[in-house]
Amino acid sequence: MKIMTVGTGGYASVYVNGLLENTDPSIEYVGAVEKYPDTSPAKEKLDEAGIPIYTTMEEFFARHTADLTIISTPTFLHREQSICALSHGSYVLCEKPVAPMIGDAEAMMAAEKQYGKFIAIGYQLAYSKAIRSLKADILSGLFGKPQSLKTIIYGPRNRGYFARGGGWGGRISKDGYMILDSAISNACAHYVFNMFYVLGKSMDESITPARVKAECFRGHEIENFDTCVMQMETEDHIPLFFATSHATENWHSVEFEFSFEKAAIRYSMNDLPTVTAEFTDGSRKEYGNPFAGELIKMYDSLEAIASGTAPVCTVKTAVCHTKLIEGLYRNVPIVNFPAALIQEKEDDDRPYVYGLDELLNTAYAQGKLLSELGCAYAEPTEFTIG
């Protein structure tokens, strides 16, 4: 299988390094696309390995073919780059999320149909053996009916994080592109999507929350929000809760609790590093580390190409998250945290919101919005997703 990568820095380095270290003779790394190759941290390694670097996908496809194109670029480029690869006869593995807007996702699905090839979307947990085994047990009815799902993850980001890549971080739009970059759409996208995925009616389906009540806040000097707390509800009236922020003082690694009639499924990267089901009869079942295998998405995509099947997570599977991203943008106002709460971590060049860590922890424990915890500045907004 011939593979090319679009993007070489940031998360793309996982694929670049993995392919450079690959010893499987059936996999051939045939080229990389990088808009600014001279500043790429991977340039020296790619040059040493004899992997050609091009500044555009069109340049690459004028000289080569690829069975799989791996796209790890800013989200607002996903639509045009995925369609470009399809139009040149390549299947696609595109990093999450699908794209900022529903119209982008719809265009990508139309292109899949037009060219007869899939676009796999790289939500890591959907490919995880632990999560897929868990979902199979959910589908089998092992745990009974779902009662509620909740997830929390937060972590500070400095000013350099939002200045990355020419300054698209934390932006709503730039240079004619809708971007909608936020913790929900980018760094913490895997974890909110995971709740939608495990409740899907088949292994390649997700649910879309029908109703959302959300609060979006801003502590950084950015255009979009950096903190979000949501209460959601499925069409079947299953409550979902999610809290995240980039304006906290400290880190809180991902933690979730999914409650069912017969069991509670828990995971905490720090305290319980294997997904574990605790049944009401006192028994337990462990599913393993959900983050094992960084290249599992690539191998799943290659297997799907070879077998003529679809990968576990396509645009159709993942569009529910895009609907949420656009729904937040269109419906929920961004509230600035009170200036009196903004503190400065000068050694890390970042602001943080005093007391926010504790607020989010309490919100997660109780499944409540910040407005329900007495924060007078919080403004919850309800909206529906069609």
Side-chain angles (χ1 to χ4, degrees):
M1 292 280 187
K2 295 180 179 180
I3 298 178
M4 75 95 114
T5 56
V6 184
T8 61
Y11 189 79
S13 64
V14 171
Y15 295 113
V16 171
N17 292 333
L19 288 166
L20 290 174
E21 296 166 6
N22 168 64
T23 57
D24 184 344
S26 69
I27 297 175
E28 182 182 1
Y29 191 11
V30 293
V33 172
E34 174 57 61
K35 186 175 181 180
Y36 304 106
D38 291 337
T39 61
S40 169
K43 185 177 188 305
E44 184 176 348
K45 289 186 289 186
L46 289 167
D47 287 345
E48 288 177 356
I51 307 300
I53 308 174
Y54 300 95
T55 56
T56 68
M57 295 176 68
E58 288 78 9
E59 282 184 279
F60 170 86
F61 283 118
R63 296 168 176 81
H64 308 275
T65 60
D67 297 296
L68 180 65
T69 297
I70 301 177
I71 297 172
S72 307
T73 56
T75 59
F76 57 91
L77 299 175
H78 288 181
R79 170 182 175 171
E80 62 185 67
Q81 291 177 339
S82 293
I83 294 174
C84 176
L86 294 179
S87 72
H88 286 90
S90 179
Y91 291 89
V92 175
L93 168 56
C94 179
E95 270 308 311
K96 55 74 188 164
V98 175
M101 306 289 281
I102 298 168
D104 298 321
E106 290 173 341
M108 292 163 74
M109 285 189 282
E112 286 181 296
K113 187 174 294 186
Q114 177 182 353
Y115 295 108
K117 298 185 183 297
F118 64 69
I119 303 172
I121 304 298
Y123 289 92
Q124 182 79 11
L125 295 175
Y127 297 84
S128 159
K129 291 181 180 179
I131 296 299
R132 289 170 76 168
S133 296
L134 172 67
K135 181 169 180 174
D137 281 347
I138 292 172
L139 289 171
S140 75
L142 180 64
F143 310 120
K145 294 180 180 179
Q147 305 293 303
S148 65
L149 286 75
K150 63 179 183 178
T151 303
I152 185 171
I153 177 173
Y154 58 74
R157 301 287 184 170
N158 62 21
R159 291 179 174 87
Y161 172 82
F162 292 106
R164 70 194 188 282
W168 59 268
R171 295 295 299 266
I172 292 175
S173 63
K174 186 176 186 288
D175 300 332
Y177 287 98
M178 291 302 297
I179 297 175
L180 305 186
D181 181 63
S182 71
I184 295 291
S185 68
N186 198 344
C188 302
H190 294 291
Y191 314 112
V192 64
F193 174 73
N194 186 48
M195 294 191 292
F196 305 158
Y197 176 69
V198 298
L199 292 180
K201 303 304 182 185
S202 68
M203 291 302 291
D204 62 350
E205 289 184 78
S206 302
I207 60 97
T208 300
R211 293 162 288 278
V212 180
K213 190 174 184 180
E215 299 168 338
C216 293
F217 308 95
R218 179 169 45 214
H220 283 267
E221 308 95 335
I222 58 174
E223 187 177 14
N224 209 2
F225 60 87
D226 54 41
T227 301
C228 183
V229 182
M230 292 184 290
Q231 293 170 334
M232 298 169 280
E233 189 178 67
T234 71
E235 200 65 66
D236 298 330
H237 305 290
I238 303 164
L240 314 176
F241 177 88
F242 189 79
T244 189
S245 178
H246 286 331
T248 53
E249 182 176 6
N250 303 295
W251 285 89
H252 188 303
S253 297
V254 62
E255 177 180 346
F256 61 71
E257 181 174 343
F258 301 161
S259 297
F260 287 75
E261 286 179 316
K262 302 177 184 178
I265 294 104
R266 296 185 176 90
Y267 173 78
S268 170
M269 184 176 283
N270 289 336
D271 302 322
L272 187 66
T274 181
V275 177
T276 302
E278 300 176 355
F279 292 86
T280 53
D281 65 5
S283 61
R284 291 161 59 98
K285 182 173 182 179
E286 295 187 357
Y287 292 88
N289 176 6
F291 296 98
E294 282 189 311
L295 295 176
I296 193 169
K297 296 174 281 189
M298 183 182 79
Y299 292 119
D300 185 88
S301 299
L302 292 174
E303 183 179 338
I305 294 171
S307 62
T309 58
V312 70
C313 186
T314 62
V315 179
K316 183 180 178 181
T317 317
V319 70
C320 55
H321 184 224
T322 301
K323 290 178 179 179
L324 174 64
I325 294 169
E326 185 170 340
L328 290 169
Y329 161 66
R330 294 195 179 281
N331 294 282
V332 183
I334 301 170
V335 175
N336 290 321
F337 283 109
L341 297 179
I342 306 295
Q343 306 290 312
E344 188 75 22
K345 282 281 187 182
E346 295 182 0
D347 59 340
D348 196 26
D349 187 31
R350 64 176 173 88
Y352 69 92
V353 179
Y354 178 78
L356 181 57
D357 302 46
E358 292 78 8
L359 269 175
L360 293 176
N361 293 342
T362 302
Y364 173 72
Q366 300 181 15
K368 291 184 176 181
L369 301 175
L370 300 197
S371 56
E372 296 175 303
L373 298 179
C375 294
Y377 55 82
E379 297 180 9
T381 301
E382 296 185 54
F383 63 95
T384 59
I385 298 178

